[in-house]
Structures are given as C-alpha cells and as structure tokens.
Amino acid sequence: MLFSATLPKSLQAILPTVMKEDYVTVDCIHDHDPATHTNEQVSQHHVILPPSKQISGSIDVILNLMKGTPNHKIVVFFPTTLLTAYYAYVFNAILKKSVIELHSRKTQRYRTKASADFRAASKKGGVVLFTSDVSARGVDYPDVTHVVQVGMPDSRETYIHRLGRTGRAGKKGVGVLVLSDVERKFLDSLYGLNIPPLVQPLKEEEEQDIEEEMYNVFQEDEDDDGTSPEMKRIQKNLSKKSSTHTFPSLVEGAYTSMLGYYRSQLKSIGVKSKNHDKLVNFVNAFAYENGLVEPPKISRKIVQSCGLSGVVGLNVGHGSEERGGHGGGRGDRRSRGSEERGGRGSSGRGDRNGRRRDRKRDSY
C-alpha cells in the first residue's frame, strides 16, 4: 500500500513501477487542486512591501501577529536557509523575541529536538518557529494558528504545502504571504485562491489609496527618517565591532543566498534572463536596509556560477567564501554531510523532492 498527502504527476508516473498491475487509487479529497481543501480551512492574505522595507516590513508583520494573537503558534517560512538563520538571529539576539530556529544547517539531533519542542509547545503564551522548507512537508504540528511565508516560495505547490501546516484536523488557520514589490508577479501563480491584501480596516471618512495603505500599515512607529526602532537596533548591532563577526557573516550569507535563489526564480518574478538590474537592485536593498554603505563582497566564483558576470551593482571581490568564512551559503562541510545523511527534515520524515530542493538552496 502507498499513502501520500498529494498525488503529483511525478508520483503518478512511477506508480506502475512500484505497484501491482491491478492497483486501485483511493482519493479521500476528490479535488484536482490540493489548494481547494486548504483554501476552505485557512484564511489567506498577502502583503506587498517596497524593497527598501523588505526586512522591517516582514518583522512588523510577524510582531503584529504575535501581539494581536497572544495565544499563538506561528510557523514562519523563509526561501533560503541563511535567510532563516539571519531572521532567527535578529529576533533572538537583537530584538529579544524568542523563536525556534529550524533548517538543514542544524544537526539532525538539534532539528529533531527543535521540532519536538515546537510540536509539544502549547500556544498559550505564544510560540514561533522560523524554518526553511525542511518543515514544509511530512510534519504535523498541532494547533498552528498562523503560517507566514516571507519571500516568494519556489512554486505554487510549495506555497500550498507550507500553508498546510495550519488549518489541520478540522481547525481553522491563517496564512500570510509577505512579498516585496519585485515578487508581486508570483501572485499570478496562485490563481483560484482568495488571497486579499492584509490591511488595517479603513475608517469610512478616510480615502487612502489601498496600495499605499498596504505599504504603510506596519510602519506606524517609524522615526522621522523612515527607520523603524527595530531596524535601528539591527543597524546598530551590525556596526558593533565583534571578535566573532556573527551578525556580519549572517548578513553576508543571507545576501548571497538571496542572489542565488532569486537568480533561479527570474521567470517567476518577471525578469528577463538578460536583464539582471532589477534582481541586483532588489538584493542590494536588503544590504542597504541592514545599514551597509555598500553591498557585501562576493567572490567571482559565485558571480560566475549565478551567471551574473559583468552585472552592474555587484561588489565583486574576495568574499568570505574565498576566505574560508560563511559567505555564499556554504557552511561547514562536515556538518553539511551529516545533515544530508540525516536527510529527512525536522521529524525524520518528509518528501524527498522537498528535501532535495532545500539542500539545493543551501548551495547558494
């Protein structure tokens, strides 16, 4: 017998090779699109942020959900492992907001414990998990109230799988997709789903532009220079001289991982293969919002592997990857090897294709 949460074409293609000739398929959902069932259980929303607010806006969305639902159990997905590590550090070490960090750069023992801790945690008082796609498939976390997806997923299927972490066992859930304006085109792939903008209710006498409201709804506490208190703390932390260089390395690694990930998603964001200015400007905005005066240096090797040689706006030099550091999304080889042998995400189970995609992102 073969059990599967979904039945994609790739799985249907191999069924005749692993099943007897007279096998029978039993469909317990009776829909052609797995999003149909999810859409009934989960209230979905999206937020569009300008690239210059991609960090502060994402932080504000998460903080507002935490504040607005005191008894919350939130799963926050990020498109790359190093972005997950970056945001986890920001919340835990800088903003002093405790979150559980889970991704394939952690050892199998750590991931198993982190997953078990989140699964067992009560939503009373609030608990938050920051994760890569190791948690998108094959795991069941009870009582998840919200799923937040920061940045564009790599496909419609991944969006639906992530969203499926909430709204389980007949319970309702909330999903929020946070995109930068550059990623707006991804919404086209979510046809048939009801994903309205997440905005504050407007008073009847107010006639604000909906798009402008969507940009500013989470920016109420900004200073006169347009910088939120949270970003000021992040920028201050980055400017500190530290012997460990933990946070600067995380910023550089996250930046480089974004470059690799979005380079592979040009079609999804509507960027022509030979026009990389939009991509580079978007990723550079991440660096500038952190308070850097110039983008992190990245090695020529990474630039060439991304097909970005000669693109204006990149700071090409001896990145930390060439110096033996953490840039470029390449971690400790010994640790990576053990994780890939573990290979089953946070619970020891999961979709093989999903794990392969997550490991691919680690190579950026």
Side-chain angles (χ1 to χ4, degrees):
M1 298 182 71
L2 171 68
F3 294 89
S4 178
T6 59
L7 199 62
K9 291 181 178 180
S10 58
L11 180 57
Q12 295 179 39
I14 66 172
L15 284 179
T17 64
V18 297
M19 304 294 289
K20 292 183 177 179
E21 292 183 2
D22 58 346
Y23 73 89
V24 177
T25 301
V26 179
D27 186 351
C28 299
I29 298 179
H30 302 293
D31 63 352
H32 297 289
D33 187 347
T36 303
H37 179 70
T38 302
N39 204 29
E40 295 176 350
Q41 299 297 114
V42 183
S43 173
Q44 302 172 62
H45 307 273
H46 78 272
V47 178
I48 303 292
L49 301 169
S52 61
K53 301 291 185 182
Q54 58 184 288
I55 303 172
S56 57
S58 299
I59 290 173
D60 285 340
V61 169
I62 298 167
L63 291 179
N64 273 275
L65 292 177
M66 294 169 65
K67 182 180 179 180
T69 311
N71 295 326
H72 56 260
K73 194 168 186 179
I74 303 173
V75 180
V76 185
F77 286 98
F78 300 91
T80 74
T81 290
L82 289 179
L83 273 172
T84 308
Y86 165 84
Y87 277 98
Y89 185 91
V90 165
F91 271 72
N92 285 324
I94 300 178
L95 303 182
K96 305 303 180 183
K97 300 289 185 180
S98 179
V99 302
I100 298 173
E101 179 183 356
L102 185 58
H103 50 74
S104 62
R105 288 304 172 111
K106 298 294 186 180
T107 65
Q108 184 64 47
R109 177 178 296 180
Y110 173 96
R111 286 184 290 168
T112 300
K113 183 180 184 304
S115 181
D117 288 346
F118 185 70
R119 181 179 293 105
S122 168
K123 63 183 181 181
K124 186 176 182 179
V127 60
V128 181
L129 172 69
F130 279 14
T131 181
S132 64
D133 279 337
V134 296
S135 301
R137 296 168 169 82
V139 292
D140 182 16
Y141 296 129
D143 301 322
V144 172
T145 58
H146 300 76
V147 166
V148 181
Q149 304 188 46
V150 176
M152 178 186 69
D154 63 4
S155 66
R156 174 189 174 95
E157 181 185 30
T158 297
Y159 170 84
I160 294 168
H161 274 291
R162 290 173 170 183
L163 195 67
R165 299 314 98 196
T166 188
R168 302 175 74 85
K171 297 180 180 180
K172 298 294 184 179
V174 176
V176 180
L177 175 62
V178 184
L179 302 174
S180 291
D181 188 62
V182 173
E183 304 168 284
R184 181 191 298 270
K185 186 173 172 34
F186 178 75
L187 291 172
D188 293 345
S189 68
L190 302 181
Y191 55 87
L193 301 181
N194 182 26
I195 315 179
L198 178 65
V199 296
Q200 287 181 336
L202 297 177
K203 297 179 180 179
E204 292 182 1
E205 62 269 19
E206 292 180 334
E207 295 183 357
Q208 292 177 277
D209 179 79
I210 290 295
E211 199 71 11
E212 181 180 349
E213 175 71 8
M214 185 159 50
Y215 273 63
N216 297 322
V217 64
F218 301 109
Q219 310 293 332
E220 295 179 351
D221 297 326
E222 289 182 348
D223 292 341
D224 292 339
D225 63 357
T227 305
S228 69
E230 291 79 16
M231 285 311 305
K232 284 188 177 295
R233 292 169 66 179
I234 292 171
Q235 294 168 1
K236 182 178 180 181
N237 189 280
L238 188 62
S239 66
K240 290 181 179 179
K241 292 184 178 181
S242 171
S243 58
T244 61
H245 301 291
T246 300
F247 190 51
S249 294
L250 285 173
V251 173
E252 181 178 343
Y255 170 88
T256 310
S257 73
M258 286 179 66
L259 197 63
Y261 174 72
Y262 286 101
R263 171 62 180 83
S264 70
Q265 298 293 321
L266 291 181
K267 184 177 180 180
S268 297
I269 60 178
V271 176
K272 294 182 179 180
S273 59
K274 294 183 179 180
N275 182 14
H276 297 116
D277 292 345
K278 189 175 182 180
L279 165 67
V280 172
N281 290 338
F282 165 55
V283 178
N284 283 351
F286 172 86
Y288 297 142
E289 193 177 3
N290 273 289
L292 296 177
V293 296
E294 64 179 7
K297 286 187 177 181
I298 53 177
S299 70
R300 288 181 174 81
K301 180 180 178 181
I302 293 176
V303 173
Q304 291 172 355
S305 67
C306 290
L308 298 174
S309 298
V311 177
V312 176
L314 295 176
N315 188 4
V316 183
H318 295 288
S320 63
E321 188 257 350
E322 289 188 346
R323 297 192 302 269
H326 299 288
R330 290 164 168 76
D332 177 74
R333 179 178 298 176
R334 179 175 52 191
S335 174
R336 183 170 69 250
S338 65
E339 288 164 11
E340 292 184 357
R341 287 192 297 273
R344 294 200 175 194
S346 57
S347 66
R349 301 183 303 274
D351 176 83
R352 179 176 297 176
N353 291 332
R355 296 197 304 271
R356 185 179 298 116
R357 278 194 294 269
D358 195 71
R359 290 199 298 270
K360 182 180 179 181
R361 294 189 192 103
D362 289 346
S363 68
Y364 293 136

Short mmCIF file of all heavy atoms in Angstrom, two decimals, residues 122-164:
data_model
loop_
_atom_site.label_atom_id
_atom_site.label_comp_id
_atom_site.label_asym_id
_atom_site.label_seq_id
_atom_site.Cartn_x
_atom_site.Cartn_y
_atom_site.Cartn_z
N SER A 122 2.61 24.45 23.86
CA SER A 122 1.24 24.96 23.86
C SER A 122 1.23 26.35 23.27
O SER A 122 2.19 27.12 23.43
CB SER A 122 0.70 24.99 25.30
OG SER A 122 -0.50 25.72 25.37
N LYS A 123 0.15 26.70 22.58
CA LYS A 123 0.05 28.04 22.03
C LYS A 123 -0.22 29.08 23.11
O LYS A 123 -0.16 30.28 22.85
CB LYS A 123 -1.03 28.10 20.95
CG LYS A 123 -2.44 27.81 21.45
CD LYS A 123 -3.43 27.83 20.28
CE LYS A 123 -4.85 27.55 20.76
NZ LYS A 123 -5.81 27.54 19.63
N LYS A 124 -0.51 28.64 24.33
CA LYS A 124 -0.75 29.56 25.43
C LYS A 124 0.51 30.35 25.72
O LYS A 124 1.56 29.79 26.03
CB LYS A 124 -1.20 28.80 26.68
CG LYS A 124 -1.61 29.72 27.83
CD LYS A 124 -2.15 28.92 29.01
CE LYS A 124 -2.59 29.87 30.12
NZ LYS A 124 -3.14 29.13 31.29
N GLY A 125 0.43 31.64 25.61
CA GLY A 125 1.60 32.48 25.81
C GLY A 125 2.37 32.74 24.54
O GLY A 125 3.15 33.68 24.47
N GLY A 126 2.18 31.90 23.52
CA GLY A 126 2.79 32.14 22.23
C GLY A 126 4.09 31.40 21.99
O GLY A 126 4.95 31.33 22.87
N VAL A 127 4.24 30.83 20.80
CA VAL A 127 5.47 30.18 20.37
C VAL A 127 5.60 30.36 18.87
O VAL A 127 4.61 30.33 18.14
CB VAL A 127 5.48 28.68 20.76
CG1 VAL A 127 4.31 27.95 20.11
CG2 VAL A 127 6.80 28.02 20.39
N VAL A 128 6.84 30.58 18.40
CA VAL A 128 7.09 30.87 16.99
C VAL A 128 8.22 30.00 16.47
O VAL A 128 9.26 29.86 17.14
CB VAL A 128 7.44 32.36 16.77
CG1 VAL A 128 7.67 32.64 15.28
CG2 VAL A 128 6.33 33.26 17.32
N LEU A 129 8.05 29.45 15.29
CA LEU A 129 9.08 28.65 14.62
C LEU A 129 9.52 29.35 13.35
O LEU A 129 8.69 29.68 12.50
CB LEU A 129 8.53 27.26 14.28
CG LEU A 129 9.41 26.36 13.40
CD1 LEU A 129 10.65 25.92 14.17
CD2 LEU A 129 8.61 25.13 12.92
N PHE A 130 10.82 29.62 13.21
CA PHE A 130 11.40 30.14 11.97
C PHE A 130 12.06 28.97 11.26
O PHE A 130 12.95 28.32 11.82
CB PHE A 130 12.46 31.20 12.27
CG PHE A 130 11.89 32.57 12.57
CD1 PHE A 130 10.55 32.76 12.84
CD2 PHE A 130 12.71 33.70 12.58
CE1 PHE A 130 10.03 34.01 13.12
CE2 PHE A 130 12.21 34.96 12.85
CZ PHE A 130 10.86 35.12 13.12
N THR A 131 11.67 28.71 10.03
CA THR A 131 12.13 27.49 9.37
C THR A 131 12.30 27.68 7.87
O THR A 131 11.69 28.56 7.26
CB THR A 131 11.15 26.34 9.65
OG1 THR A 131 11.61 25.13 9.03
CG2 THR A 131 9.76 26.67 9.11
N SER A 132 13.12 26.83 7.30
CA SER A 132 13.21 26.71 5.84
C SER A 132 12.21 25.64 5.43
O SER A 132 11.36 25.22 6.23
CB SER A 132 14.63 26.32 5.43
OG SER A 132 14.96 25.03 5.94
N ASP A 133 12.33 25.13 4.23
CA ASP A 133 11.35 24.16 3.73
C ASP A 133 11.52 22.76 4.29
O ASP A 133 10.80 21.85 3.88
CB ASP A 133 11.37 24.12 2.22
CG ASP A 133 10.56 25.26 1.61
OD1 ASP A 133 9.66 25.80 2.28
OD2 ASP A 133 10.85 25.62 0.46
N VAL A 134 12.44 22.56 5.26
CA VAL A 134 12.50 21.26 5.91
C VAL A 134 11.21 20.98 6.67
O VAL A 134 10.92 19.82 6.99
CB VAL A 134 13.70 21.15 6.87
CG1 VAL A 134 15.01 21.24 6.12
CG2 VAL A 134 13.63 22.18 7.99
N SER A 135 10.44 22.04 6.96
CA SER A 135 9.18 21.87 7.69
C SER A 135 7.96 21.99 6.80
O SER A 135 6.83 22.01 7.30
CB SER A 135 9.08 22.93 8.81
OG SER A 135 10.15 22.83 9.72
N ALA A 136 8.16 22.06 5.50
CA ALA A 136 7.04 22.27 4.59
C ALA A 136 6.27 20.99 4.31
O ALA A 136 5.09 21.03 3.99
CB ALA A 136 7.53 22.87 3.27
N ARG A 137 6.93 19.85 4.44
CA ARG A 137 6.30 18.57 4.11
C ARG A 137 6.59 17.54 5.19
O ARG A 137 7.62 17.59 5.84
CB ARG A 137 6.84 18.04 2.77
CG ARG A 137 6.51 18.89 1.55
CD ARG A 137 7.34 18.42 0.36
NE ARG A 137 6.92 19.02 -0.88
CZ ARG A 137 7.28 20.22 -1.29
NH1 ARG A 137 8.08 20.97 -0.54
NH2 ARG A 137 6.85 20.69 -2.45
N GLY A 138 5.66 16.61 5.34
CA GLY A 138 5.91 15.44 6.17
C GLY A 138 5.96 15.69 7.65
O GLY A 138 6.45 14.83 8.39
N VAL A 139 5.51 16.84 8.13
CA VAL A 139 5.49 17.11 9.57
C VAL A 139 4.09 17.55 9.97
O VAL A 139 3.37 18.17 9.19
CB VAL A 139 6.51 18.20 9.97
CG1 VAL A 139 7.93 17.71 9.77
CG2 VAL A 139 6.29 19.48 9.18
N ASP A 140 3.72 17.23 11.19
CA ASP A 140 2.40 17.59 11.70
C ASP A 140 2.58 18.30 13.03
O ASP A 140 2.88 17.67 14.05
CB ASP A 140 1.53 16.35 11.87
CG ASP A 140 0.12 16.70 12.34
OD1 ASP A 140 -0.26 17.88 12.25
OD2 ASP A 140 -0.58 15.78 12.81
N TYR A 141 2.43 19.61 13.01
CA TYR A 141 2.49 20.40 14.23
C TYR A 141 1.05 20.76 14.63
O TYR A 141 0.37 21.47 13.89
CB TYR A 141 3.29 21.67 14.03
CG TYR A 141 4.75 21.44 13.69
CD1 TYR A 141 5.33 22.06 12.58
CD2 TYR A 141 5.54 20.62 14.48
CE1 TYR A 141 6.67 21.86 12.28
CE2 TYR A 141 6.88 20.41 14.18
CZ TYR A 141 7.44 21.04 13.07
OH TYR A 141 8.75 20.83 12.77
N PRO A 142 0.59 20.29 15.77
CA PRO A 142 -0.80 20.57 16.16
C PRO A 142 -1.02 22.02 16.56
O PRO A 142 -0.11 22.69 17.05
CB PRO A 142 -1.02 19.63 17.36
CG PRO A 142 0.35 19.43 17.93
CD PRO A 142 1.28 19.43 16.74
N ASP A 143 -2.23 22.49 16.29
CA ASP A 143 -2.70 23.79 16.78
C ASP A 143 -1.94 24.99 16.24
O ASP A 143 -1.85 26.03 16.90
CB ASP A 143 -2.67 23.83 18.32
CG ASP A 143 -3.52 22.75 18.93
OD1 ASP A 143 -4.61 22.47 18.38
OD2 ASP A 143 -3.11 22.17 19.97
N VAL A 144 -1.37 24.90 15.04
CA VAL A 144 -0.70 26.05 14.44
C VAL A 144 -1.76 27.08 14.05
O VAL A 144 -2.69 26.77 13.30
CB VAL A 144 0.13 25.64 13.21
CG1 VAL A 144 0.65 26.88 12.47
CG2 VAL A 144 1.29 24.75 13.63
N THR A 145 -1.61 28.29 14.55
CA THR A 145 -2.62 29.33 14.30
C THR A 145 -2.34 30.12 13.03
O THR A 145 -3.27 30.56 12.35
CB THR A 145 -2.67 30.31 15.48
OG1 THR A 145 -1.37 30.90 15.69
CG2 THR A 145 -3.10 29.60 16.76
N HIS A 146 -1.05 30.32 12.72
CA HIS A 146 -0.68 31.13 11.55
C HIS A 146 0.49 30.48 10.81
O HIS A 146 1.40 29.92 11.43
CB HIS A 146 -0.23 32.54 11.96
CG HIS A 146 -1.26 33.34 12.70
ND1 HIS A 146 -1.58 33.11 14.02
CD2 HIS A 146 -2.05 34.37 12.29
CE1 HIS A 146 -2.51 33.98 14.42
NE2 HIS A 146 -2.82 34.75 13.38
N VAL A 147 0.47 30.62 9.50
CA VAL A 147 1.65 30.32 8.67
C VAL A 147 2.00 31.60 7.93
O VAL A 147 1.18 32.14 7.19
CB VAL A 147 1.38 29.18 7.68
CG1 VAL A 147 2.49 29.13 6.62
CG2 VAL A 147 1.29 27.85 8.40
N VAL A 148 3.22 32.08 8.13
CA VAL A 148 3.71 33.27 7.45
C VAL A 148 4.79 32.84 6.47
O VAL A 148 5.70 32.09 6.85
CB VAL A 148 4.28 34.30 8.44
CG1 VAL A 148 4.76 35.55 7.70
CG2 VAL A 148 3.23 34.66 9.50
N GLN A 149 4.69 33.28 5.24
CA GLN A 149 5.71 32.98 4.23
C GLN A 149 6.38 34.29 3.83
O GLN A 149 5.78 35.11 3.15
CB GLN A 149 5.08 32.27 3.03
CG GLN A 149 4.33 31.01 3.42
CD GLN A 149 3.86 30.20 2.22
OE1 GLN A 149 4.61 29.96 1.27
NE2 GLN A 149 2.62 29.74 2.27
N VAL A 150 7.61 34.46 4.28
CA VAL A 150 8.37 35.68 4.00
C VAL A 150 9.19 35.46 2.74
O VAL A 150 10.11 34.64 2.72
CB VAL A 150 9.28 36.06 5.18
CG1 VAL A 150 10.14 37.29 4.82
CG2 VAL A 150 8.45 36.34 6.43
N GLY A 151 8.87 36.16 1.69
CA GLY A 151 9.54 35.95 0.42
C GLY A 151 8.78 34.93 -0.42
O GLY A 151 7.98 34.14 0.07
N MET A 152 9.06 34.94 -1.68
CA MET A 152 8.35 34.11 -2.65
C MET A 152 8.75 32.64 -2.55
O MET A 152 9.95 32.32 -2.60
CB MET A 152 8.67 34.63 -4.05
CG MET A 152 8.05 33.88 -5.18
SD MET A 152 8.67 34.53 -6.75
CE MET A 152 10.38 33.98 -6.66
N PRO A 153 7.79 31.73 -2.39
CA PRO A 153 8.11 30.30 -2.47
C PRO A 153 8.59 29.95 -3.87
O PRO A 153 8.38 30.72 -4.81
CB PRO A 153 6.78 29.61 -2.14
CG PRO A 153 5.91 30.67 -1.53
CD PRO A 153 6.36 31.97 -2.13
N ASP A 154 9.19 28.78 -4.03
CA ASP A 154 9.72 28.44 -5.35
C ASP A 154 8.63 27.94 -6.31
O ASP A 154 8.89 27.77 -7.50
CB ASP A 154 10.85 27.41 -5.25
CG ASP A 154 10.40 26.08 -4.66
OD1 ASP A 154 9.18 25.92 -4.40
OD2 ASP A 154 11.25 25.20 -4.46
N SER A 155 7.41 27.71 -5.80
CA SER A 155 6.34 27.24 -6.67
C SER A 155 5.01 27.35 -5.96
O SER A 155 4.94 27.53 -4.74
CB SER A 155 6.58 25.77 -7.07
OG SER A 155 6.48 24.93 -5.93
N ARG A 156 3.95 27.23 -6.74
CA ARG A 156 2.59 27.18 -6.17
C ARG A 156 2.46 25.98 -5.23
O ARG A 156 1.86 26.08 -4.16
CB ARG A 156 1.59 27.06 -7.32
CG ARG A 156 0.13 26.86 -6.88
CD ARG A 156 -0.74 26.53 -8.09
NE ARG A 156 -2.11 26.18 -7.71
CZ ARG A 156 -3.11 27.04 -7.68
NH1 ARG A 156 -2.91 28.31 -8.00
NH2 ARG A 156 -4.32 26.63 -7.33
N GLU A 157 3.04 24.86 -5.62
CA GLU A 157 2.94 23.65 -4.81
C GLU A 157 3.58 23.86 -3.44
O GLU A 157 3.03 23.43 -2.41
CB GLU A 157 3.62 22.48 -5.53
CG GLU A 157 3.56 21.17 -4.76
CD GLU A 157 4.33 20.06 -5.44
OE1 GLU A 157 5.33 20.36 -6.12
OE2 GLU A 157 3.96 18.88 -5.28
N THR A 158 4.75 24.51 -3.42
CA THR A 158 5.43 24.77 -2.14
C THR A 158 4.60 25.70 -1.27
O THR A 158 4.49 25.51 -0.06
CB THR A 158 6.82 25.37 -2.38
OG1 THR A 158 7.63 24.42 -3.09
CG2 THR A 158 7.50 25.72 -1.07
N TYR A 159 3.98 26.71 -1.90
CA TYR A 159 3.12 27.62 -1.14
C TYR A 159 2.01 26.84 -0.44
O TYR A 159 1.72 27.05 0.74
CB TYR A 159 2.51 28.67 -2.08
CG TYR A 159 1.41 29.50 -1.43
CD1 TYR A 159 1.72 30.61 -0.66
CD2 TYR A 159 0.06 29.13 -1.57
CE1 TYR A 159 0.71 31.36 -0.05
CE2 TYR A 159 -0.95 29.87 -0.97
CZ TYR A 159 -0.62 30.98 -0.21
OH TYR A 159 -1.61 31.70 0.41
N ILE A 160 1.39 25.91 -1.17
CA ILE A 160 0.27 25.15 -0.62
C ILE A 160 0.74 24.19 0.47
O ILE A 160 0.10 24.06 1.52
CB ILE A 160 -0.44 24.38 -1.75
CG1 ILE A 160 -1.10 25.38 -2.71
CG2 ILE A 160 -1.48 23.42 -1.19
CD1 ILE A 160 -1.58 24.75 -4.00
N HIS A 161 1.88 23.53 0.25
CA HIS A 161 2.41 22.63 1.26
C HIS A 161 2.72 23.38 2.56
O HIS A 161 2.42 22.90 3.66
CB HIS A 161 3.67 21.92 0.75
CG HIS A 161 3.37 20.69 -0.04
ND1 HIS A 161 2.86 19.55 0.52
CD2 HIS A 161 3.52 20.43 -1.36
CE1 HIS A 161 2.71 18.62 -0.42
NE2 HIS A 161 3.11 19.13 -1.57
N ARG A 162 3.35 24.53 2.44
CA ARG A 162 3.65 25.32 3.63
C ARG A 162 2.37 25.72 4.34
O ARG A 162 2.26 25.60 5.57
CB ARG A 162 4.42 26.58 3.23
CG ARG A 162 5.84 26.37 2.75
CD ARG A 162 6.36 27.70 2.24
NE ARG A 162 7.78 27.71 1.95
CZ ARG A 162 8.43 28.80 1.56
NH1 ARG A 162 7.77 29.94 1.39
NH2 ARG A 162 9.73 28.77 1.33
N LEU A 163 1.42 26.21 3.57
CA LEU A 163 0.15 26.67 4.14
C LEU A 163 -0.56 25.53 4.88
O LEU A 163 -1.28 25.77 5.86
CB LEU A 163 -0.75 27.21 3.03
CG LEU A 163 -1.96 28.04 3.46
CD1 LEU A 163 -1.51 29.35 4.10
CD2 LEU A 163 -2.85 28.32 2.25
N GLY A 164 -0.32 24.32 4.44
CA GLY A 164 -0.95 23.16 5.05
C GLY A 164 -0.49 22.84 6.44
O GLY A 164 -1.02 21.92 7.08
#
